[in-house]
Every structure is written in structure tokens, then in C-alpha cells.
Amino acid sequence: MDKKSPFFTASAASVMYFIIFIMLKYLLQMREIDWPGALQGAIVFWIVIFVVHQLLKRRFSD
């Protein structure tokens, strides 16, 4: 997979978001892990990163 691909960038960022969210939720709050919330946040984060990557690619390719 091309490392400049928007899919790669968004996927890597959303996986890191998911891991950090779970770690912070578990380690700092000592509560149950909010799996659906973490998954929803990672999906939204993936979409945002993908759209921003596309906008920046379009902006700087002109």
C-alpha cells in the first residue's frame, strides 16, 4: 500500500486514535471500556482524516 495513500493515512490515524482512546479510558478513569464509543470515534476520525487528506492533496497539486 502506498504510504501517501489517503486510505493508509486515515487507517493508520484511526487505529492510533482507537488505541489511545482505549488506553486513556481504561488507565485514567478505571471504568468499563466503551467499545462502541471508541469504534464510532475511530470511524469518524477516519472520515475526517480522509477528507482532509483529499483536500490538502487537491490544494497543493494545483
Side-chain angles (χ1 to χ4, degrees), residues 1 3 6 19-21 24 28 31 40 45 50-52 62:
M1 182 178 274
K3 289 188 178 179
I19 292 169
I20 291 169
F21 180 87
L24 289 176
L28 296 179
R31 296 184 184 161
Q40 288 172 353
F45 196 68
F50 181 79
V51 169
V52 168
D62 292 337

Side-chain angles (χ1 to χ4, degrees), residues 1-52:
M1 182 178 274
D2 182 19
K3 289 188 178 179
K4 300 228 180 207
S5 165
F7 293 108
F8 177 80
T9 304
S11 298
S14 64
V15 167
M16 289 304 299
Y17 169 87
F18 186 78
I19 292 169
I20 291 169
F21 180 87
I22 294 299
M23 285 176 38
L24 289 176
K25 198 77 153 157
Y26 182 74
L27 295 175
L28 296 179
Q29 293 185 355
M30 295 298 202
R31 296 184 184 161
E32 290 184 18
I33 298 175
D34 182 20
W35 293 107
L39 187 58
Q40 288 172 353
I43 291 169
V44 169
F45 196 68
W46 188 94
I47 293 168
V48 168
I49 294 297
F50 181 79
V51 169
V52 168

